[in-house]
Amino acid sequence: MHPTWAVTSVAVTFLWLGMVLAISFLEAPLKFRAPGVTIPIGLGIGRLVFRALNLVEAVLAVALAVAVATGDRPVGVVGPVVAAVVLLLVQLLVVRPRLNRRSDRVLAGEDVPRSREHLYYVGLEVAKVAALVALGIGLLTHS
């Protein structure tokens, strides 16, 4: 029988990973290809979806950190947990506010130049996915 912290950590890790993959790498790019979806509509939908995703991610990050902190975890598990949490914090505290300011301007009808902020967000998402995959593998191989 596996300890509760390990089962919880595996479940939370793969739930978090699945949500990021589904939203960031599937829903987000596809919504702009749907017929009739304009940039303002896509931005409005994206803001709602990512606000919800980030809230759930924050809850999952706390749950994961608590589960790992309270368990008899292998040493290799701590690094990916810290990486995933730090990457999420950078997204929430640094990149998302910049993206929100830009999308506010677009939604207000302003013609703004392209921004690199989305590329930073995607780069952080890729790194977060890598951390979550490494964490999931580490948890499964040591459980």
Side-chain angles (χ1 to χ4, degrees), residues 2-72:
H2 297 293
T4 303
W5 79 267
V7 173
T8 302
S9 297
V10 168
V12 169
T13 297
F14 285 107
L15 176 61
W16 187 359
L17 176 61
M19 291 184 75
V20 169
L21 290 173
I23 300 297
S24 294
F25 297 103
L26 190 61
E27 184 276 338
L30 288 178
K31 88 173 139 260
F32 288 101
R33 293 180 174 210
V37 175
T38 62
I39 296 294
I41 289 172
L43 285 175
I45 293 168
R47 286 173 67 149
L48 288 172
V49 169
F50 275 93
R51 187 177 308 129
L53 172 64
N54 291 154
L55 176 63
V56 172
E57 283 187 284
V59 170
L60 294 174
V62 170
L64 183 60
V66 169
V68 168
T70 60
D72 184 24

Side-chain angles (χ1 to χ4, degrees), residues 52-109:
L53 172 64
N54 291 154
L55 176 63
V56 172
E57 283 187 284
V59 170
L60 294 174
V62 170
L64 183 60
V66 169
V68 168
T70 60
D72 184 24
R73 74 226 166 255
V75 174
V77 166
V78 175
V81 171
V82 170
V85 171
V86 167
L87 291 163
L88 176 62
L89 287 172
V90 171
Q91 286 178 305
L92 295 177
L93 301 175
V94 178
V95 182
R96 275 290 306 277
R98 292 177 185 175
L99 287 171
N100 286 341
R101 283 192 295 276
R102 184 179 185 282
S103 64
D104 284 342
R105 292 172 61 196
V106 171
L107 291 171

Side-chain angles (χ1 to χ4, degrees), residues 10 74 77 134-143:
V10 168
V77 166
L135 175 59
I137 291 169
L139 288 166
L140 290 174
T141 58
H142 292 99
S143 294

Side-chain angles (χ1 to χ4, degrees), residues 103-142:
S103 64
D104 284 342
R105 292 172 61 196
V106 171
L107 291 171
E110 194 175 327
D111 186 25
V112 295
R114 293 189 63 88
S115 159
R116 292 185 180 213
E117 301 303 325
H118 282 93
L119 297 177
Y120 299 143
Y121 195 89
V122 171
L124 291 165
E125 286 289 71
V126 169
K128 188 168 58 183
V129 163
L132 291 170
V133 168
L135 175 59
I137 291 169
L139 288 166
L140 290 174
T141 58
H142 292 99

